[in-house]
Amino acid sequence: MAATPAKRTTDIGPPHFEQFLPPVIKKNYGKWKYHEIPRQGVLMHVAESGDKLWSVRAATPRLMSIETIRLFADLADEFCDGHLRFTSRNNVEFLVVDEAKIEPLIARLKKEGYPVGGMGASITNIVHTQGWVHCHSAASDASGVVKSVMDELFPYFDGSQKLPAKLRIAFACCLNMCGAVHCSDIAILGVHRRAPAIKHELLNSQCEIPSTVSACPTGAIRPAKVDGHDSVEVIEERCMFCANCYTVCPAMTLNDPVNDGLSIWVGGKVSNARHEPMFSKLAIPFLPNNPPRWPEAVAAVKNIVEVYAGHARKYERMGEWIERIGWPQFFKLTGIEFTKYHIDDFKHAGETFRRSLHFRHSE
Amino acid sequence: MAEKLRETPLLDELQKGPWPSFVTEMKKSAAKNPMANDQMGILERSYKDRIGHWKHGGLVGVMGYGGGVIGRYSDLPKEYPECSEFHTIRVNQPAGWFYTSEVLRKLCDVWEKHGSGLTNMHGSTGDIILLGAKTAALEPTFSDLTEIGFDLGGSGSDVRTPSCCCGQARCEWACYDTMGFTHDLTMHFQDELHRPAFPYKFKFKMAGCPNDCVASVARSDMSIIGTWRDNIQIDQKELNAYVKGGRVDIQEDVVDRCPTGCIKWDGKAFAIDNSNCFKCMHCINVMPKALAPGKDRGATILLGSKAPIIGGALLSSVLVPFIKMDEGYDDIHELAEAIWDLWGEHGMNRERVGEFIQRIGLGNFLEQIGLDPEPEMIMHPRTNPYIFFELDEEEE
């Protein structure tokens, strides 16, 4: 351990945001009048004072080197007096006050490999997690799947392909869901499919047996003596692969090269526009982990996007479209197989069973 | 440090295509930093083995803090020695994620000196993520971070780093000052943020309007979302311009899409039955030049959203239907503290506040924190007759 420095400061909190705001924002804070999207990737905000601010939005891979952050700093100096911000979906936004600098900035960003887009009725950056890059409980990699999906859906980012409404995709590498996966138009979620393999010789030294037992939401874990070790056993048919026991006890390992993979969920949203916020619902229970490009997952997402784009009405989000046409029609149009795994069997599952005769029979 | 880059034939496939490549980022760091080089090597190994190679964190951190650092060790320390300790440092972001080039360079310098050079801008909770520090580097990194004005964010069972949309800094729809409030909240709860003392994590997310660009309703234990109570503001001149412009089909795109059917349109003037409008934002989203939220602005406070682990995913539900946000924030500080007192005493280990409410009942929860039940809090009254009546002595 390095020596503790003589002067040590704590609890100073984050720097106050005001010192980082460009003058046009300081002047017009709370006094913006309206905005427009003059071209894909550029937002123009107009203040009551008549002042204008252009935000040029470029994609980032979220996992970034300091070399790239320094590049963004240089671009900010060159094109916008050193002012930039990041978005809730990991895009970078350059804050331009000189309209003449917009196109040269876009050209530079393109040249450096950071294309602009992702505004309005489009697909923007995928909110995602660490995956195999840095997480202990990941059932898949995150960055690799996201890169592969966005390469394929790129025309929906740069505006060359149109969509009825915005389409938000999110990725989480396990059921902990570090990201709004459960309320996204399309969600890709890493899943385990095998009960934990228990390291009996380590368990009692690494974990508390009572807390490991009580970590299981289905009561599948009970204390047991195995090969002379104080340990636990798992009633496998009760295991729903949530990995909560693994979070509590590292000796309950879940990672499995063959049986881990991805599931696809659709129709969630967080905004209140038109329809209230909705959860994402299961579309595809399992697709294999197939690095480096995950072709099965990429094809599945692309299919859902294309069927939605071809059938939804203007301004209709994925979940609103499915609600209008009904789930039977969603499975028919997308060609996705409906299985017993689509029927909920956790708490309050009965609330998802149909009670009406409101079918849209076709053929 | 001109060191030989790890061979990465599988990852190299991910440098192709139009989307910015994280592999290119890893290589930029690996060219200068042996930790990043080994980290790239271990990821290639995961692509080959189809499993992760990271172990549970141990207890690591900086002196006096219980949160802010996530311990991370690899399970292949001999093969990839430089990243065998690869801890995450969460750095509390400035509200709204605005930066100057100057401050970003200072952050990069600190991270070049002490860590792998890899970052996330930003993590899912909102923090600046510094990815990959050795245990011995934690205290010196922290010291240099505070020197340039930054502090650590939350982790574990504490207040997680509050985050917000860009609000009034760059959005005409922000019904309150999300960034000002977020900074106030973060400073007010520094102790709760740095020293975990709760049953589990507690997240705040602030959104300026019902569009909720930061997914507050899905991703925070306390969601504070801007709204208004009076009439939508109409700029007739701009409305006429939309009619002339022809890009918006006002009947089809706006009137017919209004979920409450509260707009009347005769081809010239717009009549909104504001008593029936439920503030969904659709018409304002489609015609931002002509329509705007009303003037009596504030926020709705919702409680309890979370991801599935353990009892299933939840969205936040209404706790305070409307609160003014321009008269100080003491009421919200006190509300949060009342919730923490109750949940802190009766919540079970790893039970989020949303699950706690489901277990003890929203009615009981309200009674305990001193809020009156209101019909805005529910979709509909109960359908089951199993009521836990509590009779007082006179009734008996």
Side-chain angles (χ1 to χ4, degrees), chain B residues 61-322:
Chain B
V62 301
M63 227 178 19
Y65 282 16
V69 179
I70 325 293
R72 190 67 79 220
Y73 300 89
S74 96
D75 65 1
L76 300 167
K78 289 204 177 75
E79 287 157 83
Y80 305 93
E82 285 296 329
C83 69
S84 63
E85 292 172 2
F86 208 74
H87 312 314
T88 300
I89 301 174
R90 288 187 183 157
V91 180
N92 197 330
Q93 80 288 2
W97 301 295
F98 285 88
Y99 297 93
T100 57
S101 52
E102 185 194 354
V103 77
L104 281 181
R105 288 195 188 99
K106 284 184 187 170
L107 275 166
C108 290
D109 291 347
V110 170
W111 195 224
E112 179 164 49
K113 186 172 156 195
H114 296 293
S116 74
L118 288 167
T119 73
N120 293 146
M121 299 295 278
H122 297 79
S124 292
T125 302
D127 303 90
I128 301 159
I129 302 293
L130 304 180
L131 215 56
K134 294 181 181 177
T135 309
L138 294 173
E139 195 65 40
T141 309
F142 176 63
S143 173
D144 282 357
L145 283 170
T146 54
E147 192 69 25
I148 61 166
F150 282 87
D151 199 346
L152 301 190
S155 71
S157 298
D158 61 10
V159 166
R160 296 297 183 85
T161 311
S163 76
C164 63
C165 70
C166 64
Q168 294 180 343
R170 203 205 53 193
C171 187
E172 68 273 22
W173 296 332
C175 293
Y176 75 98
D177 179 9
T178 55
M179 284 165 49
F181 173 64
T182 298
H183 190 78
D184 166 273
L185 197 70
T186 311
M187 297 311 288
H188 190 84
F189 291 125
Q190 280 291 294
D191 190 37
E192 287 81 357
L193 199 153
H194 289 138
R195 292 166 196 92
F198 294 155
Y200 204 12
K201 61 183 110 174
F202 192 94
K203 297 185 179 183
F204 288 99
K205 284 196 196 302
M206 279 50 81
C209 83
N211 283 325
D212 194 2
C213 289
V214 285
S216 169
V217 76
R219 303 175 64 188
S220 53
D221 298 274
M222 189 181 270
S223 318
I224 300 167
I225 305 177
T227 188
W228 70 97
R229 288 190 292 201
D230 57 345
N231 298 345
I232 288 178
Q233 302 183 68
I234 304 174
D235 184 330
Q236 186 63 44
K237 216 176 88 208
E238 292 292 351
L239 189 64
N240 296 342
Y242 274 105
V243 177
K244 260 200 186 146
R247 287 223 321 245
V248 177
D249 182 333
I250 294 179
Q251 184 64 40
E252 195 170 311
D253 295 349
V254 183
V255 178
D256 294 351
R257 289 234 157 262
C258 170
T260 63
C262 70
I263 307 174
K264 278 213 168 70
W265 164 247
D266 61 6
K268 287 184 195 124
F270 222 56
I272 301 176
D273 172 11
N274 278 283
S275 65
N276 190 28
C277 163
F278 62 32
K279 290 34 172 187
C280 88
M281 289 296 292
H282 174 74
C283 61
I284 299 172
N285 288 343
V286 179
M287 299 197 293
K289 285 173 93 165
L291 304 174
K295 291 176 174 167
D296 182 16
R297 299 177 176 191
T300 298
I301 302 178
L302 306 93
L303 210 60
S305 67
K306 58 178 284 294
I309 307 293
I310 309 168
L314 294 172
L315 283 157
S316 287
S317 68
V318 173
L319 187 71
V320 179
F322 189 87

Side-chain angles (χ1 to χ4, degrees), chain A residues 153-164:
Chain A
L153 299 179
F154 190 74
Y156 296 100
F157 173 78
D158 75 1
S160 46
Q161 285 276 0
K162 303 286 178 226
L163 283 170

Side-chain angles (χ1 to χ4, degrees), chain A residues 42-361:
Chain A
V42 180
L43 267 174
M44 178 185 72
H45 282 85
V46 181
E48 287 163 10
S49 66
D51 289 348
K52 290 179 179 174
L53 170 69
W54 288 271
S55 303
V56 176
R57 180 179 294 170
T60 86
R62 191 181 89 121
L63 178 65
M64 281 197 296
S65 67
I66 52 176
E67 319 306 322
T68 296
I69 298 173
R70 284 172 175 151
L71 168 71
F72 289 168
D74 291 345
L75 294 178
D77 281 345
E78 191 176 339
F79 295 95
C80 33
D81 305 320
H83 289 286
L84 73 167
R85 71 178 291 266
F86 291 86
T87 72
S88 59
R89 302 191 84 87
N90 310 109
N91 298 303
V92 60
E93 285 180 343
F94 293 87
L95 306 170
V96 183
V97 286
D98 179 356
E99 192 175 3
K101 291 190 173 165
I102 296 171
E103 288 305 323
L105 169 61
I106 291 172
R108 267 295 289 285
L109 283 164
K110 194 178 170 193
K111 186 171 152 255
E112 301 285 355
Y114 303 94
V116 306
M119 289 175 176
S122 72
I123 294 177
T124 186
N125 211 340
I126 298 180
V127 165
H128 63 281
T129 54
Q130 302 291 16
W132 292 335
V133 166
H134 203 230
C135 188
H136 64 292
S137 64
S140 179
D141 189 36
S143 310
V145 183
V146 165
K147 161 75 175 148
S148 303
V149 170
M150 284 313 290
D151 277 342
E152 192 67 34
L153 299 179
F154 190 74
Y156 296 100
F157 173 78
D158 75 1
S160 46
Q161 285 276 0
K162 303 286 178 226
L163 283 170
K166 63 173 152 188
L167 198 156
R168 294 286 176 259
I169 306 179
F171 181 101
C173 49
C174 83
L175 272 54
N176 276 307
M177 283 192 194
C178 310
V181 159
H182 58 305
C183 298
S184 300
D185 294 287
I186 299 179
I188 311 168
L189 174 65
V191 289
H192 301 289
R193 294 190 304 169
R194 286 291 177 272
I198 307 166
K199 294 178 176 166
H200 295 291
E201 71 284 4
L202 295 176
L203 192 134
N204 199 28
S205 61
Q206 287 189 341
C207 324
E208 288 176 12
I209 288 174
S211 61
T212 307
V213 168
S214 67
C216 182
T218 65
I221 303 175
R222 57 191 177 198
K225 203 155 193 117
V226 183
D227 300 332
H229 300 288
D230 284 329
S231 184
V232 299
E233 64 184 7
V234 175
I235 306 161
E236 295 202 355
E237 52 273 28
R238 269 199 216 162
C239 178
M240 57 181 185
F241 322 113
C242 72
N244 195 48
C245 59
Y246 176 60
T247 302
V248 172
C249 171
M252 308 286 287
T253 57
L254 264 293
N255 292 347
D256 181 321
V258 180
N259 295 298
D260 289 350
L262 302 171
S263 57
I264 311 282
W265 305 70
V266 295
K269 75 195 272 280
V270 293
S271 101
N272 285 272
R274 300 167 307 281
H275 195 288
E276 66 183 24
M278 287 189 269
F279 286 116
S280 316
K281 285 106 182 167
L282 181 65
I284 302 174
F286 185 80
L287 292 167
N289 262 336
N290 200 354
R293 283 250 164 213
W294 283 268
E296 298 86 355
V298 171
V301 171
K302 193 182 184 198
N303 173 46
I304 293 168
V305 170
E306 284 175 350
V307 173
Y308 160 75
H311 289 83
R313 293 174 184 163
K314 200 173 174 189
Y315 295 112
E316 211 168 40
R317 295 281 292 269
M318 179 78 70
E320 294 172 285
W321 164 63
I322 298 171
E323 212 162 82
R324 175 168 61 77
I325 65 168
W327 284 95
Q329 194 67 6
F330 169 81
F331 284 100
K332 196 173 158 194
L333 287 171
T334 54
I336 295 170
E337 186 192 4
F338 185 81
T339 70
K340 77 166 186 177
Y341 297 130
H342 289 87
I343 303 172
D344 195 357
D345 51 11
F346 195 52
K347 285 190 293 188
H348 313 301
E351 289 172 14
T352 65
F353 302 167
R354 182 194 290 271
R355 289 102 174 186
S356 81
L357 275 67
H358 297 175
F359 296 113
R360 293 165 182 86
H361 290 292

